[in-house]
Amino acid sequence: MSGTDAVADRLFERLAAVDEVYYTSAFYTLLLGYVLLVLLAARSYSADARLFPLLVGVPLAVMLVGKLFVDLAEPLEIDVAGPFADVFEGIGVYDADTDVTRAERYRREAGLLLWLVALLVSVWLLGFLLSSFVYVSAFVYYYERNPTRAFLVGGITTAFLYVLFVRVLSAPIYGGVLGSLL
Amino acid sequence: MIEHVLLVGDPIALQQTGELPEAIRIAIETIASPVNFLFLLLGVFLGLLMGALPGLGGPVALALLIPITYGLGANVSIMILAATLGGVAFGGSVTAILFNTPGDAPNAATLLDGYPLARQGRATEAITASAIASASGAIIGLVLLLLSVPLVREFALAFHSVDIFWLAVFGLVAVAVVSRGGILANLIAGAVGLVLAFHGLNPVTGTARFTWGTIYLRDGIQLVPLIIGIFAVSEMLVLARDRTTISEVEIDPRGKLQGAKAVLENKFVLAQGSIVGWIVGVVPGAGGTVANFVSYLQAQSLARDPDSFGTGDVRGVIASEAANDAKDGGSMIPTLGLGIPGSASTAVLLGALVVNGVVPGPSLFRENLQLVFIVVFALLISNVVTSIVGLLAASRLSKLTRISPTTLVPLVLFVAVVGAFVSRGNVGDVGLTLLFGVVGFYMIKFEMSRIPVIIAFVLGPIAEQNFHRGLQISRGDYLIFFERPISLLLLASTILVALLPLYRHVRRKRSGDDGS
């Protein structure tokens, strides 16, 4: 376990050493890639069907290239935007005022992505009601190490979902793969 | 027998009319019946709860209630649904303020200033201001609706497809300008929303676009998983990553007083927001989503200190919430008068009318005028009740911003994914929700505004469909987009709004030069 932790620490330290602007650029590059795929696919549609995708997709691709250009020029200290810097600025990052390092933040992000995958798998396997208790309890216990609180929060979540969706609204609730087998 | 007529399940034939005094009498009797009034209150509280649950909102709440209310008769069914609609609007604003997650697209503008207020420990003030502004806006919107009943047909028919197209374009540009951050980032976000909206079967051309060979995407990307993912899930991921509560400061105990005072001091903002919301709400299809942004933009433009908007200015909450509730009154004109929904929620309401054997449109005013008054009175009572609940519960609701994230996050995540599933009963929507949650998380991380994505997603298809419709009407002549006075007015407004960032940039530079 400590070996795995050491490997993970080194990995996140290396990730943290990379300038943030490259991650931002990677995000916008992925977006650009998807837009280009959309534009390529649109070519095979009728004139009416491809009109709006092209009207939107082409300027979007140009804007993404422009944004990438301005962002990637930043580490090189080239002022591309000039007096129009505010046109290219983002919305500002939440200042969480935490004392964590970037490496620790990346570690937490990776952990949360795994929790999301676990959510999807647990819902698919166990269905909503059972997985709500299992997942919520596990999540609270993992971070707070308080079994009583974990079971209480899990129980309240399950009860709330059951009362609102099953009893009041009679909404269909997915029972899960294991639920359908039983 | 006569008493029995007034209870739940009374035969329609004895309870419908086209005469104004009779319609008002039937509406009052329907609502004043003790059992029916209880149902109305239940609808209000259910709407409040559903509106507050991330992503559930009006359309899902109403859709789930249709089968439950079906056997109660048209008058009572519509009464309950209208009351729920009133509750949903305010419930959605609470979520927008506390969790930066709009209950539905029309609540999106509220979070621009509502959430910053919550993070500053002023959630009570924001919720109080929202409660009072919502009720006031709803009352103004309903009064305007009643005054315009004789002119319903003229109002609803005033808007041509090309006008709706330009309104959608105006809305897209307004959102890009109003949202936080640079105009380019917001335009990119809006364009991304449009691209997402183009997925699936296009109703105009009959082409299935960008399905990538999957059956799931033939229906396109759905709004509910998108909203829940890109807002609720991503916000929870941020909280869990940072291990901080939503508000890092103590809740201001004078919040209620501050909120009430803020509304009284900004009566003009309230009034203009309500009127703008009502007018825009009248426009079929696009009005519901655009109304609160137009009102927000106008309040920001008229303010002496527009830069304070977006940082926790309570006027932003007042303007958007007044418009959001006033628009319900306006959207009843095309919904009831022409059978064309003003928003997704009113689309479901229309479905409820049809299911109950009522034909929406001009004949409704001739044969079921009582339904119009039932909707008006139910919305009125609903908005007053939700505002009272909001005022009483504001302090308690604000405490949610201090709950430990490791408790709040899994709870909200789970309610969110259930909400995503319930709207269509498709497990794939859960996966899509989580995928958009990850996308939304990185949008926050890389400073890209999410609101334009949602608004563009809603307005994009409206713009495209009305564009093609306009061209079909004119048989391919593009001049039709520049002929009507309303179209030209909207086009001019769009250009003015698009130039607003440049004006602000020049003004900022000038005041910077003067200062130095």
Side-chain angles (χ1 to χ4, degrees), chain A residues 35 56-57 59-61 63, chain B residues 172 185-198 448 452-453 456:
Chain A
V35 170
V56 172
L60 174 56
M63 286 191 289
Chain B
L172 289 166
N186 292 335
L187 284 173
I188 288 174
V192 166
L194 287 173
V195 167
L196 291 175
F198 295 147
M448 194 166 148
V453 176

Side-chain angles (χ1 to χ4, degrees), chain B residues 425-462:
Chain B
N426 190 327
V427 178
D429 289 345
V430 175
L432 196 68
T433 299
L434 296 178
L435 176 66
F436 279 124
V438 174
V439 170
F441 174 72
Y442 284 108
M443 287 178 74
I444 298 172
K445 199 172 149 71
F446 300 130
E447 303 184 34
M448 194 166 148
S449 181
R450 294 159 292 158
I451 296 171
V453 176
I454 300 298
I455 302 304
F457 185 84
V458 173
L459 292 180
I462 292 171

Side-chain angles (χ1 to χ4, degrees), chain B residues 93 97 109-111 113-114 117 125-138 258-275 291-292 295-296 299 309 313-326:
Chain B
S93 71
I97 290 166
T110 304
L111 59 85
D113 278 288
L117 281 166
E125 181 184 342
I127 294 172
T128 303
S130 171
I132 300 173
S134 295
S136 310
Q258 305 280 39
K261 210 171 130 196
V263 177
L264 287 172
E265 285 171 358
N266 293 287
K267 290 191 280 290
F268 176 72
V269 171
L270 177 71
Q272 66 88 16
S274 304
I275 293 169
N292 58 351
S295 172
Y296 184 93
F309 280 69
D313 192 325
V314 75
R315 289 173 295 178
V317 173
I318 294 169
S320 64
E321 279 303 303
N324 194 26
D325 281 77

Side-chain angles (χ1 to χ4, degrees), chain B residues 95-290:
Chain B
T95 318
I97 290 166
L98 294 180
F99 301 120
N100 206 31
T101 300
D104 198 356
N107 293 116
T110 304
L111 59 85
L112 290 171
D113 278 288
Y115 189 63
L117 281 166
R119 288 189 72 91
Q120 294 163 26
R122 295 164 64 191
T124 310
E125 181 184 342
I127 294 172
T128 303
S130 171
I132 300 173
S134 295
S136 310
I139 290 168
I140 294 172
L142 291 170
V143 166
L144 289 172
L145 170 64
L146 286 174
L147 291 174
S148 63
V149 161
L151 299 168
V152 154
R153 203 163 179 279
E154 279 72 22
F155 266 123
L157 287 176
F159 291 91
H160 193 278
S161 296
V162 296
D163 302 325
I164 298 169
F165 165 75
W166 281 120
L167 179 68
V169 171
F170 173 76
L172 289 166
V173 173
V175 165
V177 166
V178 148
S179 298
R180 286 198 293 269
I183 185 84
L184 182 67
N186 292 335
L187 284 173
I188 288 174
V192 166
L194 287 173
V195 167
L196 291 175
F198 295 147
H199 287 61
L201 197 62
N202 179 258
V204 176
T205 62
T207 314
R209 297 182 298 193
F210 317 119
T211 59
W212 314 121
T214 64
I215 295 173
Y216 177 76
L217 283 176
R218 282 187 81 84
D219 290 331
I221 293 172
Q222 302 301 304
L223 178 63
V224 169
L226 182 64
I227 280 190
I228 297 176
I230 225 163
F231 281 100
V233 175
S234 62
E235 286 297 330
M236 291 303 110
L237 290 176
V238 169
L239 285 182
R241 180 197 63 186
D242 296 338
R243 314 256 173 101
T244 58
T245 52
I246 293 167
S247 170
E248 290 157 353
V249 300
E250 288 301 314
I251 311 286
D252 185 351
R254 299 161 306 161
K256 273 194 205 171
L257 197 60
Q258 305 280 39
K261 210 171 130 196
V263 177
L264 287 172
E265 285 171 358
N266 293 287
K267 290 191 280 290
F268 176 72
V269 171
L270 177 71
Q272 66 88 16
S274 304
I275 293 169
V276 164
W278 186 86
I279 291 172
V280 179
V282 170
V283 181
T289 309
V290 171

Side-chain angles (χ1 to χ4, degrees), chain A:
Chain A
M1 207 50 189
S2 62
T4 317
D5 278 347
V7 168
D9 282 343
R10 274 202 301 276
L11 173 65
F12 291 118
E13 290 293 337
R14 290 188 85 164
L15 287 173
V18 176
D19 195 322
E20 280 269 5
V21 75
Y22 292 113
Y23 291 125
T24 310
S25 301
F27 176 74
Y28 282 106
T29 304
L30 278 171
L31 270 181
L32 178 63
Y34 191 75
V35 170
L36 292 174
L37 266 177
V38 162
L39 289 174
L40 278 171
R43 289 182 330 166
S44 61
Y45 301 144
S46 66
D48 280 346
R50 68 171 179 247
L51 175 63
F52 265 65
L54 290 180
L55 265 179
V56 172
V58 171
L60 174 56
V62 170
M63 286 191 289
L64 283 167
V65 169
K67 179 92 175 89
L68 280 170
F69 190 61
V70 168
D71 284 351
L72 287 171
E74 194 190 303
L76 303 172
E77 293 178 4
I78 302 169
D79 183 16
V80 173
F84 296 103
D86 58 345
V87 171
F88 292 91
E89 73 188 9
I91 59 171
V93 183
Y94 284 159
D95 223 341
D97 194 24
T98 58
D99 291 326
V100 295
T101 59
R102 272 181 66 196
E104 176 59 22
R105 206 173 295 152
Y106 290 153
R107 178 194 276 269
R108 288 181 183 179
E109 286 174 14
L112 286 168
L113 292 178
L114 288 176
W115 274 108
L116 281 190
V117 171
L119 173 58
L120 188 60
V121 169
S122 68
V123 166
W124 176 68
L125 270 178
L126 303 173
F128 282 110
L129 289 178
L130 188 54
S131 65
S132 64
F133 180 74
V134 170
Y135 182 87
V136 172
S137 302
F139 191 103
V140 175
Y141 180 73
Y142 179 84
Y143 284 103
E144 298 189 19
R145 299 291 169 189
N146 183 333
T148 310
R149 190 178 164 88
F151 286 130
L152 195 62
V153 175
I156 289 172
T157 306
T158 305
F160 175 74
L161 293 174
Y162 177 74
V163 167
L164 179 64
F165 290 102
V166 178
R167 303 303 287 182
V168 173
L169 296 171
S170 304
I173 289 286
Y174 177 63
V177 165
L178 293 181
S180 61
L181 288 175
L182 291 171

